[in-house]
Amino acid sequence: MAKHIKLKELLDFLKENRDKRFLITFHSMGDRDAVGSAIGLHECLPRSVIAAPDFITNSSKRMLKELGSKIELGFSFPQNIDGVIVVDANNFDALGPFKDRVADYGNKVLFVDHHLPQKNDEPQDAIMFDNEGYNSASSIVCDVLQKLRFKMSSDAATALINGIIADSSEFHNMYPKTFKQIADLLKTSGLRYDDLLARFD
């Protein structure tokens, strides 16, 4: 049975593991929310590595190209890591080729998602933060960075905006706090909303 944690426990976990080297990954065929939330989470865990289990969508590729981000996105399972953090997924099956490798880490796996897992799909031994009060994994990561008061780069802010918007179904799936997050992220990114749409839509 997975261990489900609240937001405070997630914040404590990230503070306590600030200097650890994690693999940050996401579901197969990573979309902008998956890739954006991974880039944002890297701000909390700067020694960590981001890797996709297989490939990312064309819109994610365009986002990375526009960002010109210095953060490298790998496509192979890294060596010498302290654990795994999975964003925008809530079960091992979603991880494609990484499925078995991640499962081997047992209780050193943290899932961060905005969907509750089906009972039959819930990972065993893993730690889970799953809260449907957010519209996206990027919204969760934005909340985490703001609450921890970590300095956020322009690239990370732009990636998180992309993730939030991509999972909003043209703003149909939004909460009041999500609009506030977008306003804050736009300020950090240095972009106007029309600039964002022109560059990333």
Side-chain angles (χ1 to χ4, degrees):
M1 177 71 75
K3 176 186 178 183
H4 292 262
I5 61 173
K6 302 295 186 184
L7 182 60
K8 183 182 183 305
E9 294 169 287
L10 175 61
L11 297 175
D12 289 342
F13 177 93
L14 294 171
K15 284 189 290 186
E16 290 165 7
N17 290 282
R18 175 87 168 139
D19 297 324
K20 298 285 181 64
R21 185 173 187 265
F22 285 88
L23 162 64
I24 303 173
T25 192
F26 39 78
H27 58 76
S28 176
M29 297 180 289
D31 56 14
R32 282 188 293 166
D33 185 32
V35 177
S37 57
I39 291 171
L41 192 60
H42 191 272
E43 303 277 285
C44 294
L45 303 163
R47 294 189 61 240
S48 295
V49 291
I50 303 173
D54 42 29
F55 57 91
I56 60 174
T57 63
N58 287 333
S59 61
S60 295
K61 290 177 184 175
R62 287 196 303 272
M63 178 182 74
L64 289 176
K65 183 177 179 181
E66 284 289 333
L67 284 176
S69 178
K70 296 182 178 67
I71 298 172
E72 293 186 12
L73 173 64
F75 291 89
S76 59
F77 201 93
Q79 302 297 315
N80 303 318
I81 55 173
D82 297 305
V84 181
I85 300 179
V86 179
V87 292
D88 202 30
N90 58 26
N91 62 78
F92 292 125
D93 287 335
L95 304 180
F98 281 3
K99 172 185 173 181
D100 293 334
R101 296 291 300 275
V102 172
D104 286 344
Y105 275 79
N107 61 9
K108 293 183 179 179
V109 179
L110 167 65
F111 285 85
V112 178
D113 194 27
H114 58 114
H115 296 298
L116 301 178
Q118 299 294 321
K119 283 190 176 180
N120 292 337
D121 290 336
E122 184 173 293
Q124 298 297 308
D125 298 325
I127 304 167
M128 302 199 72
F129 177 84
D130 42 14
N131 189 325
E132 293 184 326
Y134 295 89
N135 87 318
S136 58
S138 293
S139 179
I140 296 171
V141 172
C142 177
D143 200 19
V144 163
L145 288 170
Q146 290 176 333
K147 283 183 164 54
L148 291 176
R149 301 185 183 278
F150 286 153
K151 182 175 176 58
M152 193 186 309
S153 68
S154 173
D155 277 359
T158 305
L160 290 173
I161 298 170
N162 267 274
I164 290 170
I165 292 174
D167 260 29
S168 72
S169 301
E170 296 183 357
F171 294 103
H172 287 98
N173 176 27
M174 296 285 271
Y175 301 98
K177 66 184 174 188
T178 325
F179 288 104
K180 175 67 165 56
Q181 287 179 335
I182 289 177
D184 292 340
L185 290 168
L186 282 171
K187 184 176 180 180
T188 301
S189 72
L191 294 172
R192 297 198 315 261
Y193 187 66
D194 56 342
D195 294 331
L196 181 82
L197 293 181
R199 286 181 59 190
F200 297 98
D201 197 22

